[in-house]
Amino acid sequence: MSEPRATYRLQLGPDLTFAGAAALVGYLADLGVSHLYLSPILTARPGSTHGYDVADPATVSAVLGGEDGLRALAATARAAGLGLVADLVPNHVGTGWDTPLWRELLRSGPAGPSGRVFDVDWRTPLPGAAEKVVVPALGDQYGEVLARDELQVVEEDGEYRVAYFDHRFPLRAESQDAVARAGGPEALRTPPHVHALLEQQHYRLVHWRAAQELVNYRRFFSIDELAAVRVEDPEVFATTHGTVLRLVADGVLDGLRVDHPDGLRDPARYFARLAEATGGVWTVAEKILAPDEALRDWAVAGTTGYEFTNQVLGLFVDPAAEPVLDALDEELGGTADWEFAAWKGRNDVLDGELRPDVRRLARLLWPVVQEHLDLRDVGDEHLTDALVDLLQELPVYRAYVDPDTGEATDADRALLDRAVAAASATYAERAPLHAFLGRLLAGEAGRDAATLEVLGRFPQVASATMAKGVEDTAFYRFRRLLAVNEVGGEPGRLGLAPGAFHAAQAARQERTPAGMVTTATHDTKRGEDTRLRMAALSELPGRFAEVARALAPGAPHPQVATLVVQTLVGVWPLTGDPGAVRERLQAYLVKAQREEKQQTSWRDPDEAYEAATARFADRVLDDPPGALAALAGDCAEIAMVSGLAQVLLRCTVPGVPDTYQGTEGWDLSLVDPDNRRPVDFPARRALLAALDAQPPDPAALWASRADGRVKTWVLSRALRARAGGSYTPLPASGPLADHVVAFARGGDLVTVAPRLAGAVTAGATRPATGGTWAGTAVVLPAGTWTDLLTGETRGGGEAPRDEVLAALPVALLRRG
């Protein structure tokens, strides 16, 4: 099949298998998509709820239906004219007994078949652990666990293993024979015997808390249960990609979405190899671009679209609110300085959960420095500090200097120069080291194997630093306006003017017209309509400040008040009791505050503080202030206008629009796992069928907007009308011209959408349609135009907005 026209993301799992997806094919074809976009399809760790913790890349998940089930799904999709896109996870696999490659690593060590698969520091400085994998699996100090007889040798499935509660660890072949000669496990029940046996293995079991100091394998960010693989090795690539490549070759899969390529040693070579192996099948990269960063020249169609998420969001954030939001944030104990918040987040994770990765880099760097006589007297701690200085100053995920040749682009050099200058301005005493590191990382300080090893590893640590320090830390701390704290976003910037939005779309049309565009994924920090409700606070900042100030005295910390208020505005039910969201809100507050890593954290949870936060949220829900309820209601009204605009823009700008499962209606979800809740597909199927059987009266549809049917209507009509070709912004005039986003695609399709609807509707006191737009017009190209949403027809030239938007706040016009 050709490249996708539109995708629909399905989050597979026990509640939605391949067979369940096959049952949705007819509905999704009717909705207007061309491809089902599947979460990871390979065998994941038992109990996985998302599939990104792949346990066996050689097999298709039996939980989902196995390879036969996948092939049946592909056949069903093909019969309906649809294809399949699958999520590919090349960076890591899960640790533990259920991962055959990991099991073999522990069994056979560096010389075994898995020795080259995983990225292990076999020269770990931990005494007695050379040539061993340090496994942080114990719940207490090793000696205590051993003394309590919690480590036992057992016989299972015809072999001997070490058991620790539900964990299992293999024994090397020589130890299998030794246990048999000793008479079996019963002869090895005492702690000294178990200890002696463990000392002979290719792994060292340690307390889980020791991971922050001792772990010696590269992980997915800082997750001990996900171990990185050396996919840059052709044999490892073949081992971990063989099944997916076979499925592509057989025509089962028509496209790939590649997860976290920034964790790879050499993304450019990886994508080139993948393109060659797949014959150039449509592929997109989950590359998180900063607002001013361009996608590198990789063999991909584009990114997965986070940059569009933030571009379109910018249309619905009012920058005029910044002084009010800054003052409120400062008053409630926050900081309006986003750059510092991001820097501090990176600093904290480098000093904590990513410390083993930095220390490994420093150990590799030390012998390199010895070859440079002007720096050779430096100690490893000084080197560690210098590395941290640079890592915490990088404003993007990483540079892409070729790790095999040391070749750097101008963009790479500029990025590294910026980091060196910033680091030296803060830590002048280490300026010579910073300058040297800048040269080394740009390939200008030697290209021997040891130097290139440091050059190749530094970007991998940098990407983890950005992901954990900014996305998973600073985004939860910086609470000025939570809506803009989104993957790939820049929370220090508020709003995006229509001209900048148009320029970004024109650039996509020129560079990556077949890349993905999206507004909700399994990784976004909140649902697409939740985000817009929270963005609407920028149009009502005074009322937001009033509510937050009133509630702050009762919160365990004033910042908790702004967190709760913004979140409640995002999920407040359109009808019914706001307490219905209690359980979801409480779960989110725990996650948000643990990710914040200030009063509580995943590593050291403060249950008393979390309970105080829960009590505060309960009080707000049990007796919500009238001002909060009114604010949430008005933000919801604004967001429904913005939500239709967002859907229409996503489906008609250049790129392949992706719809996240269930977002055909209003999407009021929070961060994962809330956004992976089961979807009521029968209800959505029935709703679409009813809309198709009897096209609704547009005005009546808008009048009942709270039920979400209008969003399904706009989405389905826009997907079916999907057009390509040139991207041409259309001018608007009149008093509300700044609130118009309009453009033509290929000359035959025109999109007209509002922005900052709160100013148009005076909060929520005026309608978003009809006479509110009097005096404002958009200029249509010549011809006869029919609105695919309302059926109304008009000629080209100046079109009054109060006529174009008489029944709905958006318009989709086709010529002819």
Side-chain angles (χ1 to χ4, degrees):
M1 297 184 69
S2 61
E3 65 191 28
R5 180 174 52 80
T7 58
Y8 187 99
R9 161 73 180 208
L10 291 173
Q11 184 61 50
L12 302 174
D15 295 327
L16 183 60
T17 63
F18 296 139
L24 299 175
V25 164
Y27 162 64
L28 297 178
D30 290 343
L31 188 64
V33 304
S34 66
H35 288 67
L36 280 65
Y37 158 30
L38 309 176
S39 62
I41 60 173
L42 301 178
T43 300
R45 302 178 78 205
S48 174
T49 59
H50 48 74
Y52 289 92
D53 45 358
V54 175
D56 186 3
T59 60
V60 176
S61 170
V63 172
L64 300 180
E67 187 167 328
D68 288 344
L70 177 63
R71 288 179 178 272
L73 168 59
T76 300
R78 185 82 55 169
L82 304 185
L84 300 184
V85 173
D87 218 328
L88 177 60
V89 186
N91 179 72
H92 56 270
V93 297
T95 64
W97 186 264
D98 296 290
T99 300
L101 291 170
W102 181 260
R103 196 165 65 235
E104 184 56 38
L105 176 74
L106 300 191
R107 187 192 314 277
S108 303
S114 287
R116 67 189 303 166
V117 173
F118 294 92
D119 192 355
V120 182
D121 180 8
W122 297 109
R123 295 173 294 176
T124 173
L126 179 64
E131 302 291 299
K132 295 188 177 189
V133 184
V134 179
V135 182
L138 304 181
D140 202 345
Q141 294 292 328
Y142 173 77
E144 297 296 325
V145 170
L146 197 66
R148 292 196 294 265
D149 291 327
E150 292 172 355
L151 287 165
Q152 295 287 333
V153 180
V154 299
E155 183 176 5
E156 295 174 343
D157 300 327
E159 69 172 14
Y160 301 117
R161 304 166 180 169
V162 173
Y164 176 66
F165 296 105
D166 293 334
H167 296 280
R168 294 294 182 272
F169 305 96
L171 295 177
R172 58 193 300 176
E174 298 86 345
S175 295
Q176 296 280 344
D177 294 340
V179 175
R181 288 195 302 270
E186 291 301 322
L188 301 172
R189 287 294 185 191
T190 66
H193 283 108
V194 174
H195 173 63
L197 187 69
L198 284 171
E199 287 291 277
Q200 303 303 312
Q201 305 312 309
H202 292 294
Y203 52 87
R204 171 92 165 261
L205 301 180
V206 300
H207 188 195
W208 68 269
R209 284 187 174 275
Q212 196 157 294
E213 300 287 340
L214 304 178
V215 69
N216 67 332
Y217 56 90
R218 187 165 60 86
R219 302 158 293 172
F220 173 59
F221 302 150
S222 60
I223 303 174
D224 299 333
E225 293 78 17
L226 297 176
V229 296
R230 299 179 59 252
V231 75
E232 66 272 12
D233 184 316
E235 289 189 24
V236 178
F237 178 89
T239 296
T240 56
H241 286 60
T243 295
V244 167
L245 295 178
R246 176 169 52 80
L247 292 168
V248 170
D250 290 352
V252 175
L253 299 179
D254 304 288
L256 298 171
R257 178 264 195 194
V258 176
D259 182 67
H260 186 49
D262 275 343
L264 306 180
R265 182 182 180 88
D266 189 350
R269 280 195 177 85
Y270 169 80
F271 282 117
R273 178 175 289 150
L274 184 65
E276 181 180 7
T278 63
V281 71
W282 182 82
T283 300
V284 289
E286 193 213 14
K287 168 57 190 166
I288 300 171
L289 295 168
D292 301 321
E293 184 182 13
L295 180 66
R296 298 303 176 98
D297 186 18
W298 295 343
V300 296
T303 74
T304 53
Y306 288 119
E307 63 273 16
F308 176 77
T309 303
N310 290 283
Q311 290 161 5
V312 75
L313 173 64
L315 294 175
F316 309 115
V317 174
D318 190 348
E322 188 166 18
V324 177
L325 297 176
D326 282 351
L328 174 66
D329 194 49
E330 183 176 358
E331 180 183 336
L332 298 185
T335 172
D337 187 346
W338 163 247
E339 294 298 331
F340 175 76
W343 181 92
K344 187 65 168 64
R346 291 190 290 264
N347 176 272
D348 286 355
V349 298
L350 286 166
D351 190 46
E353 55 202 283
L354 296 180
R355 190 181 306 167
D357 305 87
V358 180
R359 287 185 169 175
R360 183 178 183 182
L361 258 183
R363 288 196 299 272
L364 292 170
L365 180 60
W366 205 2
V368 172
V369 171
Q370 303 308 302
E371 299 301 316
H372 297 264
L373 302 186
D374 55 334
L375 297 170
R376 68 181 302 181
D377 294 338
V378 70
D380 65 336
E381 287 299 322
H382 209 51
L383 286 179
T384 301
D385 290 341
L387 286 166
V388 168
D389 296 344
L390 257 65
L391 286 164
Q392 64 194 14
E393 294 293 351
L394 285 175
V396 297
Y397 271 67
R398 57 173 286 175
Y400 297 95
V401 181
D402 190 316
D404 289 353
T405 68
E407 295 294 327
T409 65
D410 289 343
D412 291 322
R413 284 187 284 269
L415 173 64
L416 293 168
D417 286 347
R418 173 180 170 180
V420 166
S424 296
T426 305
Y427 304 103
E429 70 275 14
R430 291 193 284 273
L433 264 180
H434 300 150
F436 170 73
L437 282 172
R439 295 195 303 273
L440 184 155
L441 296 172
E444 299 167 357
R447 299 187 179 181
D448 57 282
T451 301
L452 289 176
E453 182 70 4
V454 176
L455 185 157
R457 288 190 175 278
F458 182 91
Q460 293 176 302
V461 180
S463 70
T465 302
M466 194 72 172
K468 294 304 297 178
V470 177
E471 185 180 327
D472 288 345
T473 301
F475 276 5
Y476 288 94
R477 293 177 177 177
F478 190 71
R479 294 174 178 164
R480 180 176 67 172
L481 184 66
L482 289 175
V484 299
N485 296 10
E486 194 49 87
V487 181
E490 182 65 29
R493 305 182 187 184
L494 294 181
L496 187 71
F501 178 83
H502 287 311
Q505 309 324 304
R508 181 181 299 105
Q509 173 66 22
E510 179 182 354
R511 300 170 190 163
T512 56
M516 186 179 280
V517 290
T518 190
T519 48
T521 78
H522 60 287
D523 274 338
T524 43
K525 298 302 181 185
R526 46 198 57 87
E528 62 184 31
D529 296 302
T530 305
R531 187 186 310 125
L532 292 177
R533 285 180 170 203
M534 296 164 82
L537 289 168
S538 70
E539 300 198 64
L540 305 169
R543 291 173 59 188
F544 166 42
E546 177 186 344
V547 172
R549 287 191 183 104
L551 289 174
H557 186 284
Q559 279 280 296
V560 172
T562 191
L563 171 64
V564 170
V565 169
Q566 292 185 72
T567 305
L568 276 176
V569 164
V571 299
W572 197 275
L574 288 167
T575 59
D577 177 14
V581 302
R582 187 184 310 269
E583 185 176 341
R584 294 172 51 220
L585 175 66
Q586 297 289 16
Y588 173 75
L589 292 174
V590 169
K591 176 166 183 171
Q593 292 185 102
R594 289 186 180 182
E595 295 285 9
E596 178 193 0
K597 306 176 189 69
Q598 291 186 315
Q599 282 80 17
T600 185
S601 68
W602 294 108
R603 181 178 174 85
D604 294 298
D606 185 337
E607 295 181 358
Y609 184 82
E610 292 173 3
T613 298
R615 287 193 298 272
F616 169 71
D618 279 340
R619 288 195 300 271
V620 174
L621 285 171
D622 290 339
D623 186 20
L628 172 59
L631 178 65
D634 286 352
C635 286
E637 287 293 331
I638 294 169
M640 283 188 279
V641 179
S642 304
L644 295 191
Q646 179 173 259
V647 166
L648 189 57
L649 293 170
R650 185 182 79 232
C651 292
T652 55
V653 299
V656 177
D658 177 56
T659 300
Y660 187 73
Q661 63 174 30
T663 60
E664 303 93 308
W666 303 125
D667 174 22
L668 303 182
S669 57
L670 295 165
V671 74
D672 71 289
D674 191 66
N675 61 12
R676 296 199 304 266
R677 288 172 293 149
V679 175
D680 186 351
F681 282 112
R684 283 163 174 75
R685 185 197 302 270
L687 191 156
L688 180 63
L691 290 172
D692 286 342
Q694 182 63 51
D697 172 64
L701 192 63
W702 179 242
S704 63
R705 54 192 172 275
D707 62 21
R709 291 185 306 137
V710 67
K711 187 180 180 186
T712 302
W713 175 255
V714 172
L715 174 65
S716 59
R717 304 313 112 165
L719 288 174
R720 296 174 190 180
R722 182 81 179 129
S726 60
Y727 180 91
T728 307
L730 298 179
S733 62
L736 294 175
D738 287 344
H739 296 270
V740 178
V741 179
F743 55 85
R745 293 300 313 281
D748 292 325
L749 196 70
V750 164
T751 292
V752 182
R755 63 178 289 264
L756 295 181
V760 175
T761 61
T765 61
R766 293 202 305 261
T769 58
T772 301
W773 292 96
T776 300
V778 63
V779 179
L780 299 177
T784 301
W785 297 88
T786 301
D787 190 339
L788 301 179
L789 303 177
T790 66
E792 295 293 325
T793 300
R794 70 188 63 258
E798 188 171 88
R801 280 292 294 264
D802 55 334
E803 295 179 10
V804 174
L805 305 182
L808 293 176
V810 295
L812 179 62
L813 308 168
R814 185 182 291 284
R815 180 153 53 186

